[in-house]
Amino acid sequence: MSIKVDVSTFPLFINGEWVPAVSGETFDVHNPATGDVVAKVAKGNKYDVEKAVNAASAAFEQAEWRDMNPKDRSKLLYAIAHKIIANSKELIYLEAISSGGTVRRLSSSDVMQMADLFQTLGKFVLEYPFSETLPVPPFPGPAHNFVWREPIGVCAAITPWNMPMLIATWKIAPALAMGNTIVIKPASYTPLSTLKLAEIISEVVPKGVINVVTGSGNEVGEPLATHPKVDKIAFTGSTEVGRHIMSLASHTVKNTTLELGGKSPNILLEDADLNIALPGSLFGVFLHSGQLCESGTRLFVPDSLYEMVIEKLAELAGTLKLGNPLDPETDMGPVISSQQKETILSYIESGKKEGARLVCGGKEAVVEGCENGHFIEPTIFADVTNDMKIAREEIFGPVLSIIRYGELDDAIKMANDTIYGLAAGVWTKDVNKAYEVVRQLRAGVVWINDWHLLRNDAPFGGYKQSGIGREMGKYSLDAYTQLKHVHTSMVPDLHKRRWNQLLFSNLHET
Ligand code: NAP
Ligand code: MG
């Protein structure tokens, strides 16, 4: 099946309007399943960033947005959730034809999670402690002390290509819930669904509250990360670019949250229920063709199960159907680009060279009707050691590394021997044993007998070089607020204000 779509043009979305880039230039967006150009998108630069940041800054100055009461803000968040569902077909389509995500995943998971996050935060803002009163201190004198939680200001979000609209939502929803304004720079491979999402949201928020500037990391991302009027930057992407953003943001000391890469360990214990552990482990690594930051890419298997598990996993991987993401029957779509395909293939070569045993896959795949797409067979390596390149670096493709272990302690040591700490997993029938392992794993989320399941009321983020800060739930509301301590003195009598004597040795009424 070949997809034919009319190529549309997407301008920038600034101050509630579609506007062309100042340069007048555009860039092409391709469908990774077919290679076709599916859209032309405005190529923004620092002049467009200036316009968008000014619009966001002016919108933040409006008290009716910044200081909206929580009940009204909650209604607004629910209204956005309804709009997402009402526009879900278009959002799903735009994302499938640019990211290669399957319509099956996008329609039954991503779009639902997006709407649910707006609803979840819509509930949380009603209970959020916007103002707390501290106990009145007797010393050095009675006072009223409040802690107020206030929005940070203009937020910039820089997002990756793997789950573009969901990851943008993880930033937009808490930013708006707390009264901030936002400028988003989506990944150049996948700007379409984010642009549509901003248009939908703009129907219920004041103009300038949400803006999207498309264009390259250098020309749009960097000016956002350095702009003096941007108060916070929220980035999801590779650890390498995350380090760079952090250093750029340091010049203006921006509040910074980073969601970065992973090389997540998945430990199979001897007593695991293999009926769920084996499909669950492949779900953990091959969903979205391995292009998920929390993918379980290193599988630790005990000696006693080793060859049997390898054989069964290879058999299971062979049942996965590669195809056009628009076909609901498709299990695995393409990887994002020919460049990414080459990178993955070079990792596969390095695995072979370093002595890992290729059990299945290992090649690019040709899919009927999608001959120009970028497909890779689900690939499993056995006899991987934790020092091999394929066990250390994030591949971001459908490649599983199986590592053999004798003692559980050794598996845990190897699991933690990585610069990353985003996710981890353990499969066992013994929950007590599972908790013992979980306590030792250094990762922001640990699944017991599962993978990929995130909740909108639970935090998501990384230990170590997988990031700083947490998204989702009430934790993300904290990440989009700053604290103000307000002190009101209740001591009107000058001579009782003894703390002034820290400066004046001789205090008298004037
Ligand atoms: P990436 O290359 O780091 O790009 C991410 C975003 O940063 C894109 O919008 C990109 O723009 C922009 N960018 C690139 N260079 C920049 C620069 N010099 N200054 C400012 N912005 C710049 O990551 P990716 O290749 O899109 O996505 C894959 C990575 O994301 C993986 O490492 C994955 O683990 C990580 N990820 C992490 C999470 C998480 O929650 N922890 C979730 C998903 C993905 P262009 O597209 O224009 O280059
Ligand atoms: Mg990149």
Side-chain angles (χ1 to χ4, degrees):
M1 180 175 64
S2 159
I3 323 156
K4 284 278 167 258
V5 290
D6 292 334
V7 173
S8 334
T9 302
F10 286 78
L12 309 174
F13 193 80
I14 298 178
N15 209 25
E17 284 170 18
W18 292 109
V19 288
V22 169
S23 69
E25 290 175 46
T26 60
F27 62 94
D28 292 344
V29 170
H30 295 87
N31 183 337
T34 61
D36 295 342
V37 174
V38 290
K40 291 196 172 294
V41 176
K43 191 165 181 284
N45 62 27
K46 62 181 178 184
Y47 300 108
D48 304 288
V49 167
E50 190 63 28
K51 281 166 67 177
V53 171
N54 283 336
S57 177
F60 184 68
E61 292 306 322
Q62 302 302 313
E64 54 276 30
W65 171 252
R66 207 182 46 221
D67 303 332
M68 184 183 283
N69 86 51
K71 272 193 186 154
D72 291 337
R73 204 176 288 285
S74 175
K75 279 188 204 148
L76 190 143
L77 297 170
Y78 275 92
I80 294 173
H82 289 137
K83 283 196 170 285
I84 288 172
I85 297 299
N87 288 276
S88 59
K89 272 201 177 134
E90 195 176 348
L91 287 168
I92 290 164
Y93 180 72
L94 289 173
E95 182 132 325
I97 61 165
S98 53
S99 76
T102 61
V103 288
R104 199 159 87 217
R105 192 202 86 224
L106 291 167
S107 56
S108 52
S109 174
D110 295 37
V111 104
M112 296 301 170
Q113 283 189 49
M114 288 161 61
D116 182 68
L117 180 61
F118 277 101
Q119 288 179 339
T120 303
L121 298 188
K123 193 171 65 191
F124 284 163
V125 289
L126 293 175
E127 301 152 5
Y128 196 72
F130 286 97
S131 175
E132 279 176 300
T133 308
L134 300 179
V136 175
F139 309 107
H144 268 311
N145 292 83
F146 301 107
V147 177
W148 286 349
R149 287 177 163 81
E150 299 186 341
I152 297 175
V154 176
C155 304
I158 301 180
T159 52
W161 43 257
N162 59 343
M163 295 176 113
M165 60 181 173
L166 180 61
I167 291 174
T169 299
W170 291 353
K171 296 160 177 46
I172 298 167
L176 303 195
M178 302 319 277
N180 301 277
T181 59
I182 193 163
V183 180
I184 308 149
K185 187 219 112 48
S188 296
Y189 287 125
T190 55
L192 310 184
S193 50
T194 306
L195 284 161
K196 179 68 194 169
L197 181 63
E199 184 190 35
I200 294 168
I201 293 174
S202 76
E203 290 166 9
V204 292
V205 300
K207 63 183 186 150
V209 165
I210 182 164
N211 309 275
V212 181
V213 182
T214 46
S216 74
N218 292 341
E219 286 190 281
V220 177
E222 298 206 359
L224 275 175
T226 51
H227 200 294
K229 283 196 202 164
V230 170
D231 302 293
K232 175 184 169 95
I233 187 138
F235 171 80
T236 298
S238 59
T239 293
E240 190 188 354
V241 177
R243 285 188 196 109
H244 182 55
I245 301 263
M246 197 171 168
S247 78
L248 292 176
S250 73
H251 296 282
T252 44
V253 195
K254 292 190 197 320
N255 179 312
T256 305
T257 46
L258 304 170
E259 301 281 359
L260 308 174
K263 194 73 199 175
S264 300
N266 179 10
I267 307 179
L268 198 68
L269 301 196
E270 268 184 335
D271 71 342
D273 179 347
L274 297 182
N275 277 325
I276 61 167
L278 300 187
S281 295
L282 292 194
F283 171 70
V285 67
F286 291 148
L287 185 68
H288 197 19
S289 304
Q291 302 169 110
L292 296 173
C293 47
E294 76 278 9
S295 296
T297 47
R298 291 181 296 147
L299 177 64
F300 294 90
V301 181
D303 283 335
S304 57
L305 304 176
Y306 194 66
E307 289 304 335
M308 184 260 286
V309 161
I310 290 167
E311 195 180 313
K312 292 208 160 145
L313 286 177
E315 205 179 292
L316 258 178
T319 65
L320 292 172
K321 183 169 175 279
L322 274 68
N324 192 320
L326 292 177
D327 179 350
E329 300 283 303
T330 293
D331 297 324
M332 268 177 53
V335 297
I336 190 70
S337 63
S338 61
Q339 194 192 340
Q340 182 68 8
K341 184 183 71 185
E342 293 309 323
T343 304
I344 297 165
L345 290 172
S346 78
Y347 273 111
I348 292 172
E349 278 316 300
S350 107
K352 288 191 214 160
K353 271 205 197 102
E354 286 193 270
R357 168 167 44 123
L358 183 66
V359 177
C360 67
K363 298 190 302 297
E364 76 183 271
V366 179
V367 170
E368 205 187 317
C370 292
E371 285 77 8
N372 295 322
H374 319 301
F375 292 87
I376 296 203
E377 295 171 344
T379 299
I380 300 179
F381 277 110
D383 303 347
V384 177
T385 56
N386 204 42
D387 56 355
M388 287 180 189
K389 197 170 159 185
I390 54 169
R392 302 211 74 76
E393 295 181 17
E394 185 175 48
I395 301 173
F396 233 55
V399 182
L400 174 66
S401 293
I402 300 181
I403 300 172
R404 183 180 192 132
Y405 74 86
E407 300 299 321
L408 181 55
D409 282 348
D410 295 332
I412 295 170
K413 238 181 239 146
M414 287 189 279
N416 284 331
D417 179 14
T418 164
I419 61 164
Y420 298 111
L422 190 58
V426 52
W427 298 84
T428 173
K429 287 186 196 132
D430 181 343
V431 176
N432 291 330
K433 205 191 290 171
Y435 289 139
E436 255 175 58
V437 176
V438 170
R439 194 161 286 285
Q440 297 175 71
L441 291 171
R442 300 202 58 213
V445 53
V446 187
W447 288 284
I448 299 171
N449 298 332
D450 222 328
W451 211 276
H452 287 310
L453 292 196
L454 302 175
R455 291 173 55 132
N456 282 329
D457 55 357
F460 180 62
Y463 280 33
K464 300 196 266 182
Q465 294 184 37
S466 286
I468 300 176
R470 294 292 180 269
E471 295 192 301
M472 294 195 278
K474 56 180 191 275
Y475 317 93
S476 64
L477 299 183
D478 295 344
Y480 285 83
T481 52
Q482 53 194 339
L483 301 175
K484 180 179 279 172
H485 169 206
V486 184
H487 169 99
T488 315
S489 173
M490 291 158 63
V491 185
D493 214 342
L494 180 64
H495 75 271
K496 286 190 183 154
R497 297 166 68 93
R498 287 187 312 277
W499 53 95
N500 283 182
Q501 290 165 10
L502 295 172
L503 178 65
F504 297 103
S505 52
N506 185 14
L507 263 186
H508 50 82
E509 310 265 341
T510 51

